[in-house]
Amino acid sequence: MDNCIFCRIASGEIPSKKVYEDDLAIAFYDLEPQAPVHVLIVPKKHYDNITMLDDDALTAHLFKVASTVAEKLGVKHGFRLVINTGKDGGQSVNHLHIHLLGGRELQWPPG
Ligand code: AMP
């Protein structure tokens, strides 16, 4: 999608601080980190949000990537994955992404 910031990051048109990339997904540091480790795992194909994701293999792949990234960044002992969805879910970028947060003790409930 031409106007989608994460599509443009995925295509390399907009630079990002990349930590992982393969044919299907990219992971890069969040611009406004909420934890010492805050990475976004993003499918290269555009889906507005998780409710649009209709590809089981890609779904599994994204979680596998999250685990790989957690290990790579040294937070495998404890981290959180978050998928904000829709307006009430706090989603601000309408391209499906998984937040990976770690590197500090995370509170629950998130508020
Ligand atoms: P959400 O609010 O769940 O849709 O998350 C969107 C996230 O994308 C926010 O945490 C933003 O800080 C982050 N973000 C927006 N633009 C960029 C960008 N160009 N590079 C990295 N992270 C971004």
Side-chain angles (χ1 to χ4, degrees):
M1 284 183 82
D2 289 352
N3 231 358
C4 170
I5 183 132
F6 286 177
C7 284
R8 294 170 74 195
I9 288 174
S11 73
E13 186 190 334
I14 293 179
S16 66
K17 216 172 146 199
K18 199 169 22 175
V19 292
Y20 176 93
E21 183 170 18
D22 62 28
D23 289 348
L24 300 174
I26 185 167
F28 51 89
Y29 283 100
D30 197 292
L31 216 51
E32 294 178 41
Q34 304 300 316
V37 172
H38 187 174
V39 167
L40 302 173
I41 294 112
V42 176
K44 289 188 171 177
K45 184 172 174 187
H46 184 94
Y47 297 91
D48 281 353
N49 60 46
I50 190 76
T51 71
M52 308 300 283
L53 183 57
D54 56 359
D55 181 334
D56 291 350
L58 180 59
T59 306
H61 184 70
L62 292 172
F63 282 98
K64 188 85 184 162
V65 169
S67 183
T68 299
V69 169
E71 181 149 34
K72 185 175 177 181
L73 299 182
V75 295
K76 191 122 194 214
H77 57 282
F79 61 94
R80 184 172 295 165
L81 302 179
V82 174
I83 305 176
N84 295 327
T85 304
K87 184 173 158 288
D88 286 355
Q91 184 177 6
S92 61
V93 175
N94 290 325
H95 180 131
L96 171 63
H97 50 283
I98 303 173
H99 294 260
L100 187 160
L101 298 146
R104 67 168 167 82
E105 198 172 324
L106 299 163
Q107 303 305 309
W108 192 264

